[in-house]
């Protein structure tokens, strides 16, 4: 059998570990071959490939990034290129395609699957917003880095009686903010799922200092936003898909809090450090198991599916279900966390 | 309401985070009070207590160890002391007891529960061998440390064409060895669940060098043992419960492999570094959630139970079920891992 | 003898380790007592103190921040308060004052010393810009964190063919940028000591991509600035001492590079994470030795001095020499580093 | 010009960074070429080489180990092979040889130098026992790892009222023990330079518990030894050079302390994890600067020398001076550290 593999969307620790796992499982356990498409869907559209064997994936387990490269492609290009992609796959004799990516990549995978291409998807998202799987690789690494950084900020905030806001990733789902906030003992956690009331946030800050607390640490998901009308918001333009962007939420909230509370506020935007570098052991294990089970599924003909973590087991779920909706923070999980703030 | 809390058995990163979580949830959300018993069951037997309020748990989220102390008590002492313990609980007006510990502690908790004491157990084990819960806190930290150490050994083994064996914790269950082996790309993983054939291990080593590989890394659970008759084993005496001990498995296997293969073998025993220090973000979140849900259960009268992680949710399971058997590595998980060795 | 101690200026990993060292040395080796002034010079001006004994400094070795607090005080306030400070010292029976801080704090220390107060200064600066000492504590920690972050950015830059700029601390001296750039293999290092030519920077970026390199990582000290006329600079206002500020150099350079090269540029501003958290082992050793030697000097009457690292030894240098000028990156060290770029 | 390079002796973080630095400096700044000899002196004796250019050293900055391999060769073999080595160097047109290694390697380098071969040595030793240089790369990494491990042991020792002994590297010099002990706040530090009195060690342990302290952490250099007659010592055989070995000092001291004090003692032997893995930023900078300056010296004809760190500068010292004696812990540094124990 011949397996095609590609990595789509943003960078994520564990991508290389998945590639290694697919290649080792396919070649060692099944005697199959693997071909990689470069720079995500673009490599499939433009027929740019690289052969992948065991020596080629040596050392990839611990390396961040993706050796195949990745690039974003507009959805309409993918629709238009369906025929081209099918032709390229046929030309290379690819029996099953294994795309690794987030919502966009898996939606494209679903599209190809509907068009008759045998596909097994592997979910990848720093933000943990893909449905039907307990977790995805990369998320634990992102939360670990954010937590380590917030741990460091605690002591400096304490010494100077400051408010420190940390902006973490999470455009549509607040999982990173939620977990890092809980893990690092933040006093405030703002997520996209529940717009915040600036007056209420300012009150929490003032109450803490009034009680004699030395500092306030707030974790703010990049996609968090104020309740309409409670705070002036600078225009962030539109993103590549035409959606309106509200950028720099932590910075803007910080300026507003300084004005309202008179306290010194400092803001740190973690940015890309959350998605680079070696994966945690948790993510390496998950990525390796995803790769292994996707390869087994490909060989057993279980296509049109996505591998998913359910409890301690890796299961297969229909691609259609996985892309039906984003997995956002539930009210009960949010309530659980907020019980630890204030 | 008044909650009593104690930590039993060996040290484990996240214990302090659980204590903090129980105290904060009980006092802030329910207006209840919490009393701690010192040094595990011994504190309950000997009536040694410490009051716990929010200031007392400040800073505990990130600290390893247990601020309550811990000590091992022989099971027969616990049986004999049942009446004393009940009296001490009554004297302090404890409504629900929340013991945090491994198999021994939870068995004792079950005993008290059967005797009519309202109990909510919280599972704790580095080894991940407690049944009915996907994971326990401390395990992720132990695997992380072991993985980081094995990462470091790879380069030194490579430079010197050596076999490096790393002994990790896991007396009855090989979960740490399995996960760290998978996460760090070990070439050999030996667990208690499947006795190893020394001749076969030696062959794997020889085959790797014959193929031109630069080194061999093996992860050995402390409870791994050779198939009877395949290797001379030094007497390790008996442990505190009278069980025969086979200590130093990695060291002894190393000596045997040197003799059989002529290759240089070095052994590292990680020991207590696996159970000390600040917990990973994963373990901090899990410990905090366990503490929170146990406190809620205590207030809702859901006693005789243990909190457990099931997928992404914290659920309650009967204590009786949790202590019925140890959770060891399943044949399918073992096969999955071994697919990556050799 | 009675020693007074205070920590001035910004936060710095190792401050607590110094405090612990002074207290342990003074009490254990000399039977002396130590009193701490809170929030830097403000505590001395306003007579706010805290007693310091061995139990009070337990656990401080590994903790970031300063348990004494710190605050900035305008130089003219210090001049005006000279009499008040001398009176407070006399009232508390302080024989020698040990101020720990950067240029501002040491200048104030020198002022007091000139006025007849026995003073032994301890240099502290993340930026490593204090003269007459090879290094100061906190610097190694800051460089370590910056390096770890840049390590993480390499893989994500590689996968996406990007330019990633990292802004690190260093307002007047580029030591952090220089060391982190060298340690992390950056392709560009911009420091305050040598204004950069934007056209030249753009050319380096273009040349790398033209040669087939996958990405460009640049380290930019916060105090780096463009050659006049080569780049439009947004107004950063003035700082607390009335100096003109050029803030956000990396962000502005990034925008300019995007415009000139057409490449995607991402910017990360590390900010306060560089000065928080537990110190590296190097900084803990240096801080402990500084505290010890300052205390010995105080007891031996070697006042009007600052402790300094010279090779492997801790020596005493006149405070006047230490504050005469800032220690900036020398042309030879800069040339050394630039030999590795491009 | 043509430079030959080899790495001798045990593994050490930073070796690869030196190789990268020599290659980049030689090729980029001088247009010279570099050839590597494999497995230390053995490669020179047996004429096994590998060409080294800039692509060959890509990514080496952060990687532990040595891409050239390393092996120990008996001194008499080197003496006997002097003629062969000279011939091999001539055959490959090597103008200057740059050997990177510890005492053994540098002594061999000196021998070659005396025989007329142009040599520039680069000091390498985890143990920091090479004279005439403030520090060598690898040492900071080893101390960092040991410190991190001891940090972890503190909490577990606290929780169980135990004595924990950590054996670190240092056969003839106690620098790692000294620095790690100081950095991690150990209560006992035993080094090869001063034999310990077991009775005195036992008294320190008992005194701490008697004072109410919760635990004792001791750092023991592998080369530490008891005062003759104070403790029974198991025979450790002889090492490859025929010297008598005393192995397992920490383990044996632990057993003795258990017997004498009745306290539970646990021993951890860190072993090879201290010499593997990515170097700290400090070691990466030092290794890079050593490589750069050695290459400059080679091109300027400054041979028969070794690069050395003196304060903040890299200088050249005669090889003869560097190998005249080992740099052991001085009485004043030892006294400084012991002032913090007990």
């Amino acid at each position: 059998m011949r397996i095609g593999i590609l990595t789509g969307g943003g960078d994520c620790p564990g991508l290389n570990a998945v590639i290694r796992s697919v290649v080792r499982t396919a070649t060692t356990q099944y005697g199959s071959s693997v071909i990689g498409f470069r720079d995500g869907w673009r490599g499939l559209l433009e027929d740019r490939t690289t052969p992948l064997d065991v020596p080629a994936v040596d050392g990839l387990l611990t390396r961040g990034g993706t050796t195949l490269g990745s690039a974003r492609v507009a959805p309409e290009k993918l629709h238009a290129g369906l025929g081209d992609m099918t032709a390229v796959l046929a030309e290379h004799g690819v029996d099953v395609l294994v795309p690794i990516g987030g919502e966009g990549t898996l939606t494209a995978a679903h599209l190809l699957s509907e068009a008759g291409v045998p596909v097994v998807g592997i979910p990848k998202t720093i933000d943990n917003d893909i449905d039907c799987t307990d977790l995805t690789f990369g998320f634990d690494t992102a939360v670990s880095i954010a937590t380590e950084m917030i741990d460091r900020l605690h002591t400096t905030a304490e010494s100077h009686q400051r408010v420190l806001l940390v902006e973490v990733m999470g455009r549509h789902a607040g999982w990173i903010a939620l977990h890092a906030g809980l893990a690092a003992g933040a006093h405030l956690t703002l997520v996209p799922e529940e717009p915040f009331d600036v007056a209420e946030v300012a009150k929490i800050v003032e109450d803490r200092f009034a009680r004699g607390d030395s500092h306030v640490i707030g974790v703010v998901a990049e996609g968090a936003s104020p309740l309409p009308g409670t705070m002036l918001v600078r225009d962030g333009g539109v993103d590549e898909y035409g959606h309106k962007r509200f950028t720099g939420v932590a910075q803007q909230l910080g300026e507003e809090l300084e004005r309202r509370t008179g306290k010194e506020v400092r803001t740190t935007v973690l940015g890309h450090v959350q998605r680079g570098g070696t994966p945690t052991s948790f993510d390496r294990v998950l990525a390796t198991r995803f790769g292994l089970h996707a390869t087994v599924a490909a060989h057993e003909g279980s296509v049109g599916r996505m591998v998913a973590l359910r409890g301690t087991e890796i299961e297969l779920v229909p691609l259609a279900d996985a892309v039906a909706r984003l997995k956002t923070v539930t009210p009960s999980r949010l309530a659980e966390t907020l019980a630890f703030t204030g």
Side-chain angles (χ1 to χ4, degrees), chain A residues 10-325:
Chain A
D11 200 24
C12 184
L15 279 172
N16 274 327
V18 174
I19 296 170
R20 169 181 176 269
S21 176
V22 169
V23 170
R24 290 182 64 141
T25 305
T27 56
T28 312
Q29 291 182 45
Y30 293 97
S32 298
S33 66
V34 182
I35 187 170
F37 295 98
R38 304 201 62 82
D39 300 327
W41 295 105
R42 189 172 295 171
L44 183 50
L45 282 164
E46 301 172 3
D47 193 6
R48 289 188 294 111
T49 63
T50 193
L52 289 170
D53 54 15
V54 170
V57 298
D58 187 42
L60 286 195
L61 176 59
T62 61
R63 264 178 59 193
T66 163
T67 190
L68 287 176
S70 183
R72 293 184 197 273
V73 182
E76 48 281 10
K77 274 208 172 168
L78 287 175
H79 273 90
L82 209 55
D84 291 351
M85 293 195 285
T86 318
V88 169
L89 288 169
E91 189 186 323
H92 288 286
V94 171
D95 298 297
V96 181
L97 181 67
V98 177
I100 312 162
E103 195 213 357
T105 297
L106 295 172
T107 302
H110 181 48
L111 192 78
L112 273 172
S113 177
E114 295 285 285
V117 177
V119 171
V120 181
I122 298 182
K124 175 232 69 166
T125 153
I126 288 281
D127 295 354
N128 196 32
D129 59 1
I130 293 180
D131 205 21
C132 299
T133 182
D134 287 355
L135 285 170
T136 46
F137 61 88
F139 174 67
D140 186 63
T141 304
V143 172
S144 292
I145 296 168
T147 300
E148 187 195 328
M149 293 299 106
I150 304 170
D151 279 357
R152 291 199 169 274
L153 294 174
H154 267 292
T155 56
T156 191
E158 257 171 34
S159 306
H160 293 277
Q161 306 237 335
R162 275 178 185 150
V163 179
L164 283 179
L165 300 181
V166 185
E167 186 177 303
V168 298
M169 287 189 166
R171 201 158 289 183
H172 307 292
W175 294 109
I176 292 179
L178 196 83
H179 279 241
L182 211 49
H187 312 108
L188 269 176
T189 304
L190 304 179
V191 296
E193 288 84 351
E194 186 163 300
F196 58 85
D197 178 335
V198 182
E200 208 178 282
V201 173
K203 191 171 177 328
I204 291 175
V205 168
E206 282 168 340
D207 285 355
R208 273 191 65 84
F209 284 113
R211 275 209 313 267
D213 283 319
S214 63
H215 68 297
V216 179
I217 300 271
V219 183
V220 184
E222 60 179 328
S225 63
L227 274 175
T230 67
M231 189 174 108
L232 217 66
V233 168
R234 281 198 294 273
D235 190 5
V238 291
D239 67 15
E240 67 257 60
Y241 304 114
H243 301 142
K244 202 158 176 306
R245 271 213 292 222
F246 168 56
T247 57
V249 55
Q251 182 63 38
Q252 295 185 49
L253 173 61
E255 291 165 15
E256 186 73 24
L257 286 179
E258 280 207 333
R259 194 160 40 235
R260 288 181 185 237
T261 68
K263 291 288 168 186
E264 218 178 338
V265 182
R266 290 282 183 279
T267 303
T268 297
V269 180
L270 290 185
H272 282 72
V273 298
Q274 291 163 90
R275 45 169 80 244
T278 195
T280 57
S281 50
F282 185 96
D283 281 338
R284 294 188 200 172
V285 170
L286 185 55
T288 299
R289 295 182 75 201
F290 271 173
L292 188 153
H293 284 268
T295 310
V296 171
H299 283 86
E300 294 182 348
S302 301
V303 295
R305 315 287 180 86
M306 179 186 87
V307 290
L309 177 69
R310 297 284 183 94
T312 61
E313 300 305 308
I314 309 297
E315 301 183 356
L316 293 168
V317 297
L319 269 170
D321 293 0
V323 299
R325 59 176 203 93

